[in-house]
Amino acid sequence: MYSKSFSVAILLALYLNAASAATTYKETDHAMVARRLVHQTNWAAISTISTHRKLKDYPMVQILSINDYDAKKQSTGRIQFLLTNLDFTGKDVKQNNKVSLLFNDEQLLHCSEQNLDPMEPTCARTIISGEVKRMDENQKDYQEALASFVARHPASQKWLDKHNFYLCELEITNIFVLDFYGGAHNIKPDDYYKVEL
C-alpha cells in the first residue's frame, strides 16, 4: 500500500520522537514538578473516607484552599489549610486523618493553553498523601502561618471569625508525580522538601 521509502521515513520519525521523549522523560526533575504544582496552585482536591450516613466508607472529595508560603511568600513545601468540623472534610478527618490531595497543572489552565487534555500524562499532576495534623496555636510559627494563609486567601478571615475553622498541615507520607508517558513516579518526601524554588 505504501512505498518502502515512505514506510522507512515513518519508522524513522517514530523512532526519533520516542528517543526525544525518552530524553525529556529522563531529564525531568519529578520532585521539582511536585513542588511547583503545590506552590503555584491556590487549591487542591482532597479525598477522605466519608463518615456521612449516606456515603459511609465511600471516598469523598472536596475542594481545599491551600498555602505553602512562609511570611516572605517563599515556598516551604509545607501544605497548610483550614478545616472546620461543620463540613464533610472536617468531620471525616476527625474520624480518619489519612487523606490524599490532587494538584494539576490545568488548575492554572496551563494544559488547555497548549491544547492538552487534563487527562493527558503530559498535563502534570501530583497526588500527595499523608495525615492531617491540627496545628498547635501555641507553636512558635502558628500566628505567622495563619497570617500567611489569610494573606493568600483573604476570604478565609470570615471563615475564621464565623465558622470555627482551624489551621492544619499535611504530614506527607507519599508523593506520586505523573508528568509524562510511562507511569507515575514515586517521590520521597525528603527529596520534595529539598527542592528550592
Side-chain angles (χ1 to χ4, degrees):
M1 183 174 176
Y2 297 109
S3 71
K4 188 175 181 180
S5 59
F6 179 77
S7 297
V8 169
I10 292 292
L11 288 172
L12 181 60
L14 289 172
Y15 171 77
L16 290 174
N17 282 341
S20 172
T23 302
T24 304
Y25 178 81
K26 289 177 183 174
E27 291 175 356
T28 300
D29 184 340
H30 305 293
M32 174 69 81
V33 171
R35 278 293 294 275
R36 279 190 180 154
L37 285 173
V38 168
H39 184 60
Q40 75 184 9
T41 54
N42 285 324
W43 58 273
I46 182 171
S47 64
T48 57
I49 300 301
S50 182
T51 54
H52 192 280
R53 60 186 176 81
K54 291 193 173 183
L55 284 175
K56 192 164 174 57
D57 298 328
Y58 277 81
M60 170 58 82
V61 67
Q62 185 75 285
I63 295 299
L64 193 67
S65 295
I66 65 101
N67 182 44
D68 78 321
Y69 289 161
D70 61 14
K72 296 177 182 177
K73 294 191 175 182
Q74 299 296 312
S75 170
T76 64
R78 295 170 62 187
I79 303 171
Q80 296 173 343
F81 44 90
L82 292 176
L83 288 182
T84 176
N85 294 332
L86 299 175
D87 77 357
F88 293 121
T89 306
K91 290 175 182 175
D92 293 348
V93 165
K94 198 172 177 183
Q95 185 76 25
N96 182 345
N97 71 339
K98 294 178 181 176
V99 303
S100 292
L101 275 67
L102 172 68
F103 301 85
N104 185 283
D105 211 20
E106 181 60 8
Q107 286 170 247
L108 293 179
L109 305 179
H110 289 165
C111 300
S112 57
E113 286 171 357
Q114 302 172 62
N115 295 317
L116 281 176
D117 190 275
M119 198 167 163
E120 282 287 334
T122 46
C123 183
R125 75 204 71 164
T126 188
I127 301 165
I128 301 182
S129 302
E131 297 184 10
V132 174
K133 302 292 182 183
R134 182 170 180 166
M135 294 180 67
D136 184 348
E137 294 181 20
N138 298 313
Q139 276 184 274
K140 184 180 176 182
D141 65 344
Y142 181 86
Q143 290 304 324
E144 185 179 283
L146 187 60
S148 176
F149 188 94
V150 172
R152 188 167 182 177
H153 300 282
S156 66
Q157 188 61 61
K158 292 183 291 186
W159 314 340
L160 290 162
D161 294 342
K162 297 180 180 178
H163 300 294
N164 301 315
F165 275 82
Y166 48 89
L167 192 61
C168 298
E169 184 168 332
L170 186 68
E171 190 174 279
I172 298 173
T173 56
N174 192 74
I175 302 170
F176 285 119
V177 172
L178 183 63
D179 55 6
F180 203 76
Y181 303 104
H185 298 269
N186 199 200
I187 309 302
K188 293 178 183 176
D190 284 348
D191 292 337
Y192 165 86
Y193 284 116
K194 284 177 190 171
V195 171
E196 293 184 13
L197 293 182

